[in-house]
Amino acid sequence: MVTESWEIRAAGKRQSILDQIPKEWKLSTADINKAKAQRDITGPFIEQFLDNEEIKITSYDAVELVNQIQQGKLTAVQVTTAFSKRAAIAHQIGNCLLEFFFDKALERAKELDAYFAQNQRTIGPLHGLPISLKDQFHVKGVDTSMAYVGWIGRNHGFPESQTHQVESLLTTDLLSLGAVLYCKTSLPQTLFFGETVNNITGITPNPQNQLLSCGGSSGGEGALIALGGSVLGVGTDIGGSVRVPAAFNGIYSIKPSVDRVSYKDVATTNPGQTIWPSTAGFMGSSLSGVTLALQSTLSTKPWLRDPAVVPIPFREDVYQSYKSLNRPLKFGIVWSDGIANPHPPISRGLKRIVTALREAGHGVVDWNPPSHSEAMNIHLNILLADASADVREQLALSGEPLVPGVMAAEEGVQPMGLLEYQALTLEGKAYENAYAEYWNANTGEDGEVVDAVIMPVAPSAAVRPGKFYHIAYTEVLNMLNYSTVVVPVHGIKADKEVDVVDQGYQPSSETDRLNWGAYDPEIFYGAPVGVQIVGRKFEEEKVLGIAEVVDEVLKAHTK
Amino acid sequence: MVTESWEIRAAGKRQSILDQIPKEWKLSTADINKAKAQRDITGPFIEQFLDNEEIKITSYDAVELVNQIQQGKLTAVQVTTAFSKRAAIAHQIGNCLLEFFFDKALERAKELDAYFAQNQRTIGPLHGLPISLKDQFHVKGVDTSMAYVGWIGRNHGFPESQTHQVESLLTTDLLSLGAVLYCKTSLPQTLFFGETVNNITGITPNPQNQLLSCGGSSGGEGALIALGGSVLGVGTDIGGSVRVPAAFNGIYSIKPSVDRVSYKDVATTNPGQTIWPSTAGFMGSSLSGVTLALQSTLSTKPWLRDPAVVPIPFREDVYQSYKSLNRPLKFGIVWSDGIANPHPPISRGLKRIVTALREAGHGVVDWNPPSHSEAMNIHLNILLADASADVREQLALSGEPLVPGVMAAEEGVQPMGLLEYQALTLEGKAYENAYAEYWNANTGEDGEVVDAVIMPVAPSAAVRPGKFYHIAYTEVLNMLNYSTVVVPVHGIKADKEVDVVDQGYQPSSETDRLNWGAYDPEIFYGAPVGVQIVGRKFEEEKVLGIAEVVDEVLKAHTK
């Protein structure tokens, strides 16, 4: 029987993560304090702790890495060691991990190198590529606490007898494709929060601007990738969780439609809520890396082992036809959802995109879809319909408190009645239908429907701790189950000289007032800007192809 | 305000259906009485009321009909008139319709013929084909009572202001493809019953053996097709509803996975239950007709108008690759689910299939999947989780009583608690996973997984009224959301000389005792035998292709 307080158990876990870091990768207290005083700890700051070879290896993206390994120019051990070291340093200065297991990773990398040496070929398309996982994915031999103190030393959701024996199907598949697993990233308690904070590791700040949050709930992934400690990570998304941290950290991500990627044996909050469940998604330093993740995991035919997965192989023809499109594309653009207007850096980013797209010959029409506020209310009510019974059960295991700000039903509230739950589900379906009708009808003058919609990920470039007021931009797309890719707006970061406050601004709602009040050019200075590129259900390949076009257009426009 | 008793309103509706039948198609009371005294009213019996031309036209299947019309050999008016007449007679002797609208159909057929005459081409692949719809699908200008007295003169589920303005998306799509709509078929009150009986039209008997039921809940469709009044119909299936009547009536059907075919704006029971919802399916006199229905409706890209539909076009390559397979197939065979052993005619049918398949070079392994009884319990509990609140609301509109035998929660029972509902959902998902594991593991000696599984549709060839005891053979496949095609076992009908009762039979369960006790060779004599061919989720094209192979093998074996 566990008799320690939750604080002692949490402290023990914190220490045990650090204990896994080899001595020679440990930073001095002075260096850690230096990092704390630094606004931006990415790039040059973190790279001072790496040698040139390590910097070089960790500067490659996922596709470059697997190519170099396939060509015999790098070994899995070299790559694994470089990324593990960079992740270890990232964690010491950026507090982004919940698990670190370099020993297992190195063993695995050695096996892969031996295989390559013997067979002169790789075991799969991810051979030797280090992939980070959000701490919802089970890896054999490793905890999955999901940041609950009560699950330390266990696998969240599994009986004690299966501790460390458990593996999520996506984990199994990544391993079969040749991936190297080496760490699991931090997340907010319960997953229902736009900032990454929990009772074990505390807060994960935004490494590009430590005054801000890295986002949630796959925020640890976002921070680790921004710090160069990973080029490809697996997250989950129920309301914006792989998109918000991608935008806040200036990286790429894809939120596929539910059941495109396997979620089998993945720890989550209230898994019995299957109306609008969480979906597994990928985050990466490059769009091609994110695409590689989807391509390769679908090549394993996961639907044969996870009956929830829809049997649609990666449609290379669709992806290529959009990526190398020789006709102009047509976009919808959401300037604001009318509830919370985007801060100046975001609006400037949207304008940049529209200008760049139009200059490249693409069409853009304004996009004012059915009310986000209606969708948000329905969605949130379904997410909290169990009155947070699952969350409270997990908290009770250790006695840890709910982290302030985390979205949860108040204590004592009863679960929603079934008839109300079913009626609310139908309201959500009606919203989906209304949105589809809008998509079909809002064609503009040429009568053609848009290929994709571009919209903010959040009404701010990142958020100040405790000041995340509006999740609807992403959440609505979970309710619609649309395919969504986040790309950074190259060349745009919050700039205190340009993105000044309009003193005469009149907020349009209470949410808008709160959000607008949270903007401070001095504090946001340097925060990256990302946007969502949105396709309909199961249009992942199309959206990835279109994202490549947008990414190229933005890069060219920056030059 | 409606003040008539429900009995008077029901009688009025019954009469209004008959009133739609042209005078010259009305049967005499003597003929109707003759039909009542007849065991089998299909084939020669019904054809005595048709002329040779009408018999010839209604003997073609769907593909032959659209081909003849495309070639200008038949007009839409000829075809529509012949089928409308046959359906009108079928209804008078077989009681299988809830709506009949020959006037609209004829008008439509004339327009199609005019289009064809002017353009020398059809408007779509279903040009001129009469298609019958179960009375859950809305057609403009026509009631959808769904057999509730309270919805007579209305469209079930829609406000009074929209009466007769409503059209289900599938209806719209069928019309856009050229179909002619002329009637809607009967169904059991609530849809939750394996026999077709309601307070408006009463019982629809099995036209091949009027001592037995035509099945439910798309039983009216099954009876109409068996009587030759339709070659292609649209039904729905939540627990076996397009499969049970297909088997009981010796015809073909497909139950696709949920969200393959549009269910938008379709009347149903408790639509807010989205865990294991009802799915739209097709029933027909031929397998090619059923395939044509899926092919053509998917060609309209319904996912653009109904966001619930998964964007998988009809995969012609997959269909053809199985249909014209030049390698042996491998099947699993379910002899019994261990709860209710099939009656002698069914077992004989299964043996015939296995013999025929093996003689044709195909492989067959025994199939003993995870417990049907566990799945059945979970599924039924979810279906009744609302404590039949929706059903009672519809009954209350008119004061009509629940039809005896129909599955419903007892009055006064409270809806299930949400946490229990969510937990039960997870039990169902665990069953799906266990079944997928069984599928992957039960490979037999050659180590290859089966291509499809063959199993009974029910433990009896049809059922005697009030004696339907076991729905699990079909229901389990709804919970698994598998693609399933029903084919008749050619050459096998219940035969009192062959399918005798084993006097020493020891029932294995109470359900088995009841089911076995219901078997009487004299009563079942002449009932057809059908089986299910089962593929995994979204494998409709594969299962249709395999069904063609099985159908050919069975036809050849009969010769």
Side-chain angles (χ1 to χ4, degrees):
Chain A
M1 200 183 142
V2 179
T3 50
E4 296 141 326
S5 70
W6 70 262
E7 291 96 335
I8 290 174
R9 294 183 68 194
K13 180 71 191 178
R14 268 196 302 280
Q15 187 56 47
S16 83
I17 303 166
L18 296 172
D19 290 347
Q20 296 292 315
I21 298 175
K23 242 192 340 244
E24 58 277 22
W25 297 349
K26 287 271 173 70
L27 298 187
S28 67
T29 309
D31 282 334
I32 291 172
N33 286 337
K34 201 165 72 179
K36 279 190 182 131
Q38 187 82 9
R39 184 180 263 224
D40 181 354
I41 57 171
T42 65
F45 186 86
I46 189 171
E47 286 172 1
Q48 70 182 290
F49 306 110
L50 303 168
D51 68 27
N52 285 344
E53 182 67 12
E54 289 156 356
I55 293 172
K56 191 178 150 199
I57 291 174
T58 56
S59 73
Y60 293 126
D61 89 328
V63 172
E64 289 166 335
L65 286 165
V66 294
N67 286 344
Q68 300 253 11
I69 294 171
Q70 270 165 28
Q71 290 161 19
K73 293 180 186 164
L74 286 174
T75 65
V77 166
Q78 282 176 300
V79 173
T80 297
T81 307
F83 277 97
S84 296
K85 179 173 174 188
R86 190 157 179 158
I89 293 164
H91 178 63
Q92 292 174 81
I93 63 176
N95 197 34
C96 48
L97 301 185
L98 260 162
E99 299 293 333
F100 183 67
F101 37 100
F102 174 55
D103 49 347
K104 286 181 201 301
L106 194 60
E107 197 183 318
R108 161 83 173 167
K110 284 178 185 164
E111 286 166 15
L112 290 168
D113 284 339
Y115 180 93
F116 187 80
Q118 193 169 353
N119 301 281
Q120 289 304 305
R121 58 181 181 86
T122 60
I123 71 160
L126 303 180
H127 186 108
L129 184 69
I131 292 184
S132 47
L133 305 166
K134 187 178 183 181
D135 192 36
Q136 294 176 254
F137 294 86
H138 299 285
V139 174
K140 277 188 187 153
V142 179
D143 287 9
T144 305
S145 69
M146 213 179 95
Y148 281 119
V149 176
W151 285 102
I152 291 170
R154 295 271 306 271
N155 287 87
H156 180 286
F158 282 86
E160 188 141 26
S161 59
Q162 291 183 51
T163 296
H164 293 184
Q165 312 296 310
V166 183
E167 196 167 78
S168 304
L169 181 62
L170 189 55
T171 308
T172 309
D173 287 354
L174 290 171
L175 288 171
S176 78
L177 293 161
V180 176
L181 309 178
Y182 62 119
C183 66
K184 296 207 285 176
T185 50
S186 195
L187 45 80
Q189 188 193 54
T190 80
L191 309 174
F192 289 178
F193 197 36
E195 304 171 32
T196 292
V197 50
N198 63 64
N199 286 329
I200 298 177
T201 52
I203 293 173
T204 307
N206 190 314
Q208 277 167 73
N209 181 341
Q210 293 200 84
L211 300 173
L212 301 173
S213 168
C214 66
S217 71
S218 310
E221 275 299 331
L224 180 66
I225 295 169
L227 285 160
S230 170
V231 286
L232 188 58
V234 184
T236 68
D237 192 310
I238 194 166
S241 317
V242 300
R243 290 166 290 157
V244 168
F248 287 12
N249 287 287
I251 62 168
Y252 299 84
S253 75
I254 183 167
K255 178 203 81 66
S257 295
V258 170
D259 293 338
R260 187 78 205 264
V261 173
S262 174
Y263 209 92
K264 185 163 186 263
D265 295 334
V266 176
T268 192
T269 294
N270 193 19
Q273 188 282 98
T274 57
I275 308 301
W276 293 299
S278 165
T279 174
F282 302 107
M283 304 170 74
S285 63
S286 66
L287 199 47
S288 57
V290 165
T291 303
L292 174 68
L294 187 66
Q295 268 167 333
S296 56
T297 51
L298 292 182
S299 75
T300 69
K301 300 186 179 176
W303 49 85
L304 296 179
R305 281 152 288 129
D306 178 358
V309 175
V310 173
I312 308 178
F314 187 86
R315 293 161 294 193
E316 190 68 36
D317 55 337
V318 174
Y319 171 63
Q320 291 297 343
S321 76
Y322 279 95
K323 189 181 169 187
S324 52
L325 201 66
N326 42 22
R327 67 164 174 91
L329 289 170
K330 184 170 172 183
F331 295 91
I333 180 98
V334 175
W335 297 104
S336 168
D337 70 357
I339 309 169
N341 292 318
H343 287 171
I346 305 290
S347 294
R348 189 160 60 87
L350 295 172
K351 280 179 204 148
R352 159 75 67 100
I353 292 187
V354 170
T355 304
L357 286 172
R358 287 197 169 131
E359 283 179 10
H362 301 291
V364 183
V365 293
D366 284 351
W367 198 255
N368 297 297
S371 159
H372 275 195
S373 101
E374 188 193 323
M376 180 181 72
N377 286 337
I378 297 168
H379 191 257
L380 283 179
N381 275 317
I382 289 287
L383 259 57
L384 295 182
D386 77 332
S388 302
D390 172 69
V391 165
R392 300 214 182 269
E393 191 182 321
Q394 313 314 328
L395 297 179
L397 293 174
S398 69
E400 66 173 314
L402 195 68
V403 167
V406 160
M407 193 185 84
E410 278 180 53
E411 208 142 5
V413 168
Q414 290 302 302
M416 187 181 285
L418 182 63
L419 301 189
E420 189 183 347
Y421 187 75
Q422 293 187 337
L424 214 51
T425 303
L426 290 180
E427 284 183 38
K429 301 285 169 201
Y431 184 84
E432 282 181 52
N433 285 327
Y435 208 107
E437 277 167 34
Y438 179 79
W439 195 301
N440 293 334
N442 189 37
T443 57
E445 286 170 13
D446 64 3
E448 298 287 330
V449 299
V450 302
D451 294 293
V453 176
I454 294 175
M455 61 174 83
V457 174
S460 56
V463 290
R464 291 159 69 178
K467 291 180 182 290
F468 200 156
Y469 300 114
H470 190 57
I471 190 78
Y473 285 100
T474 47
E475 183 182 21
V476 166
L477 303 174
N478 291 83
M479 208 176 85
L480 295 167
N481 201 10
Y482 281 179
S483 321
T484 305
V485 168
V486 169
V487 297
V489 184
H490 300 291
I492 299 267
K493 292 203 173 194
D495 183 335
K496 61 185 170 185
E497 310 295 337
V498 182
D499 301 315
V500 295
V501 177
D502 171 5
Q503 296 299 344
Y505 182 79
Q506 294 296 324
S508 61
S509 71
E510 176 59 12
T511 302
D512 195 35
R513 192 187 65 76
L514 287 168
N515 178 62
W516 204 259
Y519 182 62
D520 180 329
E522 285 292 342
I523 291 175
F524 277 79
Y525 192 42
V529 172
V531 293
Q532 302 182 89
I533 301 174
V534 181
R536 301 203 234 193
K537 204 159 82 167
F538 295 118
E539 290 192 339
E540 288 76 19
E541 294 87 341
K542 177 182 167 185
V543 180
L544 284 167
I546 291 175
E548 288 280 358
V549 173
V550 174
D551 201 47
E552 285 305 311
V553 164
L554 283 170
K555 280 176 182 163
H557 196 264
T558 312
K559 279 168 194 162
Chain B
M1 201 183 139
V2 179
T3 50
E4 297 141 327
S5 71
W6 71 262
E7 291 94 335
I8 290 174
R9 295 183 68 193
K13 180 72 190 176
R14 267 196 303 280
Q15 188 56 47
S16 83
I17 303 167
L18 295 173
D19 290 346
Q20 296 292 315
I21 298 176
K23 243 190 344 241
E24 58 276 23
W25 297 350
K26 287 271 173 70
L27 298 187
S28 67
T29 310
D31 282 337
I32 292 172
N33 286 337
K34 200 164 72 178
K36 279 192 183 129
Q38 187 82 10
R39 185 181 265 226
D40 182 353
I41 55 171
T42 65
F45 186 85
I46 189 170
E47 285 171 2
Q48 67 180 292
F49 305 111
L50 303 169
D51 68 27
N52 285 345
E53 183 66 12
E54 290 156 355
I55 293 172
K56 190 176 151 202
I57 291 174
T58 56
S59 73
Y60 292 124
D61 89 329
V63 172
E64 288 165 336
L65 286 166
V66 294
N67 286 344
Q68 299 253 9
I69 294 171
Q70 270 164 28
Q71 291 161 18
K73 292 179 186 165
L74 285 174
T75 64
V77 167
Q78 281 178 301
V79 172
T80 297
T81 308
F83 276 98
S84 295
K85 180 174 174 186
R86 191 158 179 158
I89 293 166
H91 179 61
Q92 291 173 82
I93 62 177
N95 198 33
C96 48
L97 301 185
L98 259 164
E99 300 293 334
F100 183 68
F101 38 101
F102 174 56
D103 49 348
K104 285 181 203 300
L106 193 60
E107 196 183 319
R108 161 82 173 167
K110 282 178 185 165
E111 286 166 13
L112 290 169
D113 284 340
Y115 180 93
F116 186 81
Q118 192 168 354
N119 301 281
Q120 290 303 307
R121 60 183 177 84
T122 59
I123 71 160
L126 303 180
H127 186 109
L129 184 70
I131 293 184
S132 48
L133 305 166
K134 187 179 184 181
D135 192 37
Q136 294 175 256
F137 293 87
H138 299 287
V139 174
K140 277 187 187 155
V142 179
D143 287 8
T144 305
S145 68
M146 215 180 95
Y148 282 118
V149 176
W151 285 101
I152 291 171
R154 295 271 307 271
N155 287 88
H156 180 287
F158 281 86
E160 188 141 27
S161 59
Q162 291 183 51
T163 296
H164 292 185
Q165 312 297 309
V166 183
E167 196 168 79
S168 304
L169 181 63
L170 190 54
T171 308
T172 310
D173 287 353
L174 290 170
L175 288 171
S176 78
L177 294 161
V180 176
L181 308 178
Y182 61 119
C183 65
K184 297 207 285 176
T185 49
S186 196
L187 45 79
Q189 188 191 53
T190 80
L191 308 174
F192 290 179
F193 197 35
E195 304 171 33
T196 291
V197 50
N198 62 64
N199 285 329
I200 299 177
T201 52
I203 292 174
T204 307
N206 190 313
Q208 278 167 72
N209 181 339
Q210 293 200 87
L211 300 173
L212 302 173
S213 167
C214 66
S217 68
S218 311
E221 275 299 329
L224 179 67
I225 295 170
L227 284 160
S230 170
V231 288
L232 187 58
V234 184
T236 68
D237 192 310
I238 194 166
S241 316
V242 300
R243 289 165 292 156
V244 168
F248 287 12
N249 287 287
I251 62 169
Y252 299 84
S253 75
I254 183 166
K255 178 201 82 64
S257 296
V258 170
D259 294 338
R260 187 77 205 264
V261 173
S262 174
Y263 207 91
K264 186 164 185 265
D265 295 333
V266 176
T268 192
T269 294
N270 193 19
Q273 187 282 98
T274 57
I275 309 302
W276 292 299
S278 164
T279 175
F282 302 107
M283 304 170 73
S285 63
S286 66
L287 198 47
S288 56
V290 165
T291 303
L292 174 68
L294 187 66
Q295 268 166 332
S296 56
T297 51
L298 291 182
S299 75
T300 70
K301 300 187 179 176
W303 48 85
L304 295 179
R305 281 152 286 128
D306 178 357
V309 175
V310 173
I312 308 178
F314 188 85
R315 292 160 295 192
E316 190 69 35
D317 55 336
V318 173
Y319 172 63
Q320 292 295 344
S321 77
Y322 279 96
K323 189 180 170 187
S324 52
L325 202 66
N326 44 22
R327 68 164 172 90
L329 290 169
K330 185 171 172 182
F331 294 91
I333 180 98
V334 175
W335 297 104
S336 168
D337 70 357
I339 309 170
N341 292 319
H343 288 171
I346 305 290
S347 294
R348 189 159 61 87
L350 294 173
K351 281 180 201 145
R352 159 76 67 102
I353 292 188
V354 171
T355 304
L357 286 172
R358 286 198 170 132
E359 283 179 9
H362 301 291
V364 184
V365 294
D366 285 350
W367 198 255
N368 297 297
S371 160
H372 275 195
S373 102
E374 188 193 323
M376 181 180 74
N377 287 336
I378 297 169
H379 191 257
L380 283 180
N381 275 316
I382 290 287
L383 259 56
L384 295 181
D386 75 333
S388 301
D390 172 69
V391 166
R392 301 215 181 268
E393 191 182 320
Q394 313 315 329
L395 297 178
L397 293 174
S398 69
E400 67 175 314
L402 195 70
V403 166
V406 162
M407 191 184 86
E410 279 181 50
E411 209 141 7
V413 169
Q414 289 304 301
M416 187 181 285
L418 182 63
L419 301 188
E420 189 183 347
Y421 187 75
Q422 293 187 336
L424 214 51
T425 303
L426 290 181
E427 283 183 38
K429 301 284 167 200
Y431 184 84
E432 283 181 51
N433 285 328
Y435 207 106
E437 278 167 31
Y438 180 79
W439 195 303
N440 293 336
N442 189 37
T443 57
E445 286 172 13
D446 65 4
E448 297 287 330
V449 299
V450 302
D451 294 293
V453 176
I454 294 174
M455 61 174 82
V457 174
S460 55
V463 290
R464 292 160 68 178
K467 292 181 182 288
F468 199 157
Y469 300 115
H470 190 57
I471 189 78
Y473 284 101
T474 47
E475 183 182 22
V476 166
L477 303 174
N478 291 83
M479 207 176 86
L480 295 167
N481 201 10
Y482 280 179
S483 322
T484 305
V485 168
V486 169
V487 297
V489 184
H490 300 291
I492 298 268
K493 292 201 173 196
D495 183 336
K496 62 185 170 186
E497 309 295 337
V498 182
D499 301 316
V500 295
V501 175
D502 170 6
Q503 296 299 345
Y505 182 78
Q506 294 297 323
S508 61
S509 71
E510 176 60 12
T511 302
D512 195 35
R513 190 187 67 73
L514 287 168
N515 178 63
W516 204 260
Y519 182 62
D520 180 328
E522 285 291 343
I523 291 175
F524 277 80
Y525 192 43
V529 172
V531 292
Q532 301 181 90
I533 300 174
V534 181
R536 302 203 235 192
K537 203 160 81 167
F538 295 117
E539 289 192 339
E540 288 76 19
E541 294 86 341
K542 177 183 167 185
V543 180
L544 284 167
I546 291 174
E548 288 280 0
V549 172
V550 174
D551 201 47
E552 286 305 311
V553 164
L554 283 169
K555 281 177 180 162
H557 196 265
T558 312
K559 279 167 194 164

